[in-house]
Amino acid sequence: DADVTQTPRNRITKTGKRIMLECSQTKGHDRMYWYRQDPGLGLRLIYYSFDVKDINKGEISDGYSVSRQAQAKFSLSLESAIPNQTALYFCATSIRGPDEQFFGPGTRLTVL
Amino acid sequence: DAKTTQPPSMDCAEGRAANLPCNHSTISGNEYVYWYRQIHSQGPQYIIHGLKNNETNEMASLIITEDRKSSTLILPHATLRDTAVYYCIVSSWGDNYGQNFVFGPGTRLSVLP
């Protein structure tokens, strides 16, 4: 079983719709992250959470919100989706130290 | 602002060593160098990280220059499955870890048969 799972894996929606992307992890990590990747580019940090009571904006948080429901769950919401939010979205987890981030398989979101 | 500079693409013959360079001339004393790779559109995969000393694991070796302004990731015997985009990232440890994980465009490595 995967340690970091994302649902849905693919989603097509229309402009103006509210969308929620979910991330769950079984690694027991406190820190969770949401990234966005546009074609041909690297990943950009949207939001991150260092524990259940902690939420922080990343580089490109406008148009997004997050919820950390539990240590294992971190959701990303697009309140009113727009076409330029069409992208590949990744969730990741880590411990506090300098070790690696573990990434989920990604959610491909298309906003028409 | 990008803290690392990598060539956009490289080729390597199968079975040969792949040497991927990265410049990070503004690295701070408390910043680590991390390498990840992304195969197709999968989630990035951690490869290795280091602070000052050279590091080696089952996947690769990381060579960091003495002044820490550049590093090289070495895949000792590249296979076709190593074809991917490789990202070099510098990030501080401690409370700020993860805040400034910047994935630039990376290097697209093509391993040729």
Side-chain angles (χ1 to χ4, degrees), chain A residues 4-23:
Chain A
V4 184
T5 58
Q6 293 183 234
T7 56
R9 294 294 312 279
N10 290 282
R11 182 71 183 268
I12 299 173
T13 190
K14 295 182 179 180
T15 297
K17 294 291 187 180
R18 184 178 188 274
I19 295 296
M20 179 179 286
L21 309 182
E22 299 186 344
C23 176

Side-chain angles (χ1 to χ4, degrees), chain A residues 33-103:
Chain A
Y33 312 82
W34 274 105
Y35 291 88
R36 162 181 174 158
Q37 185 174 32
D38 293 286
L41 301 179
L43 283 70
R44 290 182 292 170
L45 185 62
I46 306 173
Y47 270 96
Y48 59 99
S49 169
F50 283 176
D51 63 42
V52 175
K53 299 178 182 179
D54 178 77
I55 299 290
N56 303 282
K57 294 182 177 181
E59 178 188 357
I60 53 163
S61 60
D62 287 348
Y64 302 94
S65 62
V66 291
S67 173
R68 184 80 184 268
Q69 302 95 321
Q71 184 199 43
K73 296 185 181 296
F74 193 35
S75 300
L76 176 71
S77 294
L78 288 69
E79 297 301 325
S80 180
I82 57 177
N84 75 1
Q85 291 178 313
T86 293
L88 192 53
Y89 291 84
F90 290 102
C91 173
T93 75
S94 75
I95 60 174
R96 181 179 179 275
D99 290 331
E100 63 192 285
Q101 291 189 20
F102 294 84
F103 284 81

